[in-house]
Amino acid sequence: MAKTKTAFFCQNCGTQYAKWIGQCTSCKQWNTIVEEIVQKEEKKTWKTSSSTLQKASKPLRVNEINSDKEIRFNTQDIEFNRVLGGGLVPGSLTLLGGEPGIGKSTLLLQIALKLPYKTLYVSGEESQKQIKMRAERIHPSSENCFILTETKTQNIFQQIVALEPDLVVIDSIQTLHSDYIESAAGSISQIRECTAELIKFAKESNTPVILVGHITKDGTIAGPKILEHMVDTVLQFEGDQNYVYRILRSLKNRFGSTAELGIYEMQGSGLREVNNPSEVLISKNDENLSGAAVAATVEGIRPLLIEIQALVSTAVYGTPQRSATGFNAKRLNMLLAVLEKRAGFKLAAKDVFLNITGGISVDDPAIDLAVIASILSSNFDTPIPKGVCFAAEVGLSGEIRTVQRTDQRILEAEKLGFTSIYVSKNNKITLKDTKIKVRLVSKIEDVVSTLFK
Ligand code: TYD
Ligand code: MG
């Protein structure tokens, strides 16, 4: 009988200990150390024979390396391709994380169903019938998508060898278990082992693999941080469950930029790609309401116009409330302090609520000016005229600062029918013959004097 060996692992960061301790010395979390059975045995991986045949690699000069343009695997989903940086790279491992119920399984099943290649969708969470029901809602017929409900990696590899799929989807990594490790599925050592086996499979067979990963309460992918180091690409699917829009971001990408963003709309028949997000994110309200301002942002290289709504009211309680949805609350406090100190607006006794429509969150500093404009508009109860938008950062001394890709923002605003855009005076605008009026401002007062006379 094989000798059973146990070790202690921190369930938060994956650090291994020889004995139990109360606090992890590495990540400082309490009560996260759990004993797991680790069985050491001669390992057979997905193909026992191939590993022994591997040649040791030799160093090559950079210019000797074959640089044939990498062929990407087109997923037939424009948004998904964009976030990946042009499609899946053969032999790569992609991890898709997100809250339960956000639509991870839907997204991957949808991609698997639409692909003209042979795809194996392995589910450890739902039965074949359940997946079939979901598939019928999304895409009723597909010849190339195979569904397997299995959680043991060795059995999965057996099926892979028989089927030879072009793409493998695993839903989810936390449900897999390998025979070579004795601890329960979802434990640190199982996740690490199963991922390692899948990486070996992906690299040796040049097949792309997509993994679904659960996330924990605090929003990080469940399992050791090492999981994120092991895979090539980490994608995050996020959004507010109460809204229909879902955003796909890349947190790590060995083959492309992490600034790209994909937007989907959850419908009754699956996820719809939103190719022109600016139009859906701006509310089509004909009445001019106070407290709303439009910001011309850029996510990745993609211009995106979003609406910001603010509500400023007299504080009922002693301490005024400040809350922001989709925007950094610290940044909101900073902008309020700038308004108070540099522009002389008395907001200290006011509650300020800020919301970005569509349930999305934005990090682009260029929305600062729109945030300030919406707060002032609500404070004066004066609507901002229709057709006005903003693209500038606001500094601590109240100065209006330049942002990158201003030209692109101006063009997008013009395309959507905006008539004027406020940008920093320091911008070097090279655009000619634009119909949109570009207003160059350097201080908050310049904006106030033209908007709220
Ligand atoms: P799911 O993909 O199961 O989420 P995850 O795998 O991330 O846990 O998504 C489930 C939600 O999506 C569920 O609340 C219902 C909704 N949904 C639709 O609105 N339309 C659809 O066509 C499908 C398949 C799901
Ligand atoms: Mg799921």
Side-chain angles (χ1 to χ4, degrees):
M1 216 183 96
K3 196 174 150 231
T4 309
K5 192 183 157 213
T6 62
F8 296 83
F9 290 93
C10 170
Q11 300 293 306
N12 187 51
C13 65
T15 314
Q16 186 177 351
Y17 295 93
K19 59 179 196 199
W20 190 86
I21 47 172
Q23 186 188 24
C24 173
T25 51
S26 158
C27 68
K28 305 281 179 270
Q29 291 286 319
W30 287 93
N31 289 331
T32 52
I33 316 282
V34 170
E35 183 172 17
E36 289 182 6
I37 301 163
V38 192
Q39 201 164 21
K40 283 259 170 87
E41 203 184 293
E42 182 59 41
K43 258 198 257 173
K44 292 192 226 75
T45 44
W46 78 283
K47 240 195 230 167
T48 4
S49 53
S50 66
S51 51
T52 49
L53 295 176
Q54 263 188 13
K55 279 184 282 170
S57 57
K58 268 193 321 208
L60 284 176
R61 283 198 187 85
V62 174
N63 44 15
E64 280 170 7
I65 299 173
N66 190 354
S67 67
D68 286 346
K69 186 127 178 55
E70 212 174 339
I71 304 157
R72 297 247 184 175
F73 192 93
N74 182 357
T75 60
Q76 314 282 321
D77 181 311
I78 301 169
E79 303 290 301
F80 200 68
N81 281 346
R82 186 208 312 277
V83 176
L84 289 171
L88 282 169
V89 173
S92 68
L93 224 76
T94 305
L95 176 67
L96 174 69
E99 280 179 28
I102 206 76
K104 302 179 294 296
S105 309
T106 308
L107 177 67
L108 294 180
L109 183 64
Q110 179 170 330
I111 288 170
L113 288 171
K114 285 186 190 156
L115 274 185
Y117 313 100
K118 214 191 268 178
T119 314
L120 180 64
Y121 183 97
V122 184
S123 179
E125 307 204 323
E126 288 156 300
S127 70
Q128 277 163 320
K129 271 220 184 75
Q130 279 174 312
I131 299 170
K132 166 85 179 159
M133 266 155 53
R134 188 196 296 245
E136 274 176 348
R137 286 170 71 177
I138 300 171
H139 202 267
S141 67
S142 173
E143 289 283 301
N144 299 307
C145 181
F146 294 81
I147 309 285
L148 172 69
T149 45
E150 178 61 71
T151 54
K152 212 154 111 180
T153 51
Q154 280 73 22
N155 293 355
I156 295 174
F157 290 133
Q158 225 171 40
Q159 299 303 327
I160 287 178
V161 171
L163 187 70
E164 296 189 335
D166 298 309
L167 169 69
V168 177
V169 175
I170 307 276
D171 188 2
S172 64
I173 183 72
Q174 277 88 2
T175 58
L176 289 194
H177 72 99
S178 167
D179 273 352
Y180 300 112
I181 301 274
E182 277 230 337
S183 53
S187 64
I188 301 290
S189 21
Q190 278 291 3
I191 292 179
R192 198 192 299 136
E193 172 63 24
C194 295
T195 314
E197 286 178 16
L198 285 164
I199 289 183
K200 200 160 163 46
F201 155 70
K203 303 287 175 221
E204 286 178 13
S205 66
N206 222 13
T207 312
V209 176
I210 308 180
L211 305 175
V212 169
H214 292 169
I215 64 171
T216 57
K217 287 197 292 290
D218 55 355
T220 53
I221 292 174
K225 199 76 187 155
I226 198 168
L227 179 58
E228 282 162 67
H229 292 299
M230 284 164 95
V231 300
D232 298 303
T233 307
V234 180
L235 305 180
Q236 178 135 325
F237 205 35
E238 55 188 46
D240 194 319
Q241 296 253 359
N242 302 321
Y243 292 92
V244 290
Y245 297 110
R246 302 282 183 271
I247 291 184
L248 186 68
R249 276 179 209 279
S250 104
L251 304 182
K252 162 184 173 180
N253 194 348
R254 287 194 181 140
F255 316 108
S257 147
T258 52
E260 286 303 344
L261 195 79
I263 302 181
Y264 293 90
E265 183 183 345
M266 182 61 100
Q267 294 183 332
S269 56
L271 290 153
R272 182 180 73 89
E273 298 155 43
V274 178
N275 298 328
N276 191 355
S278 298
E279 280 179 6
V280 292
L281 294 175
I282 297 172
S283 63
K284 306 208 174 36
N285 205 334
D286 285 336
E287 283 170 71
N288 244 355
L289 300 173
S290 68
V294 175
T297 68
V298 172
E299 284 285 347
I301 53 164
R302 189 178 194 194
L304 190 69
L305 271 80
I306 54 164
E307 187 175 305
I308 293 156
Q309 295 174 334
L311 180 66
V312 179
S313 65
T314 312
V316 193
Y317 304 107
T319 329
Q321 298 187 57
R322 268 83 211 269
S323 105
T325 318
F327 186 68
N328 187 335
K330 285 200 183 120
R331 185 115 195 129
L332 172 65
N333 283 333
M334 189 212 96
L335 292 176
L336 289 172
V338 169
L339 277 176
E340 180 109 23
K341 176 95 182 165
R342 306 284 176 197
F345 293 103
K346 295 278 163 272
L347 297 168
K350 301 274 176 90
D351 286 342
V352 180
F353 304 98
L354 196 78
N355 181 31
I356 293 186
T357 53
I360 66 165
S361 66
V362 182
D363 298 326
D364 186 0
I367 73 169
D368 284 359
L369 191 57
V371 168
I372 284 197
S374 68
I375 291 170
L376 293 178
S377 160
S378 176
N379 189 40
F380 298 135
D381 201 13
T382 311
I384 291 171
K386 277 250 159 294
V388 174
C389 65
F390 306 86
E393 187 184 338
V394 176
L396 281 181
S397 54
E399 82 278 19
I400 306 225
R401 311 178 58 163
T402 55
V403 285
Q404 41 140 343
R405 299 180 189 274
T406 310
D407 290 358
Q408 205 185 350
R409 297 171 202 262
I410 296 174
L411 288 176
E412 176 76 2
E414 186 180 65
K415 202 169 91 198
L416 289 169
F418 281 82
T419 48
S420 76
I421 180 165
Y422 284 76
V423 298
S424 165
K425 208 169 212 154
N426 304 328
N427 271 312
K428 292 196 178 47
I429 313 277
T430 47
L431 292 174
K432 289 196 182 72
D433 346 301
T434 45
K435 279 204 253 59
I436 187 167
K437 187 166 184 341
V438 180
R439 290 181 184 266
L440 300 169
V441 285
S442 59
K443 297 192 300 294
I444 295 175
E445 291 83 43
D446 300 347
V447 181
V448 176
S449 62
T450 48
L451 277 181
F452 313 106
K453 275 165 278 191

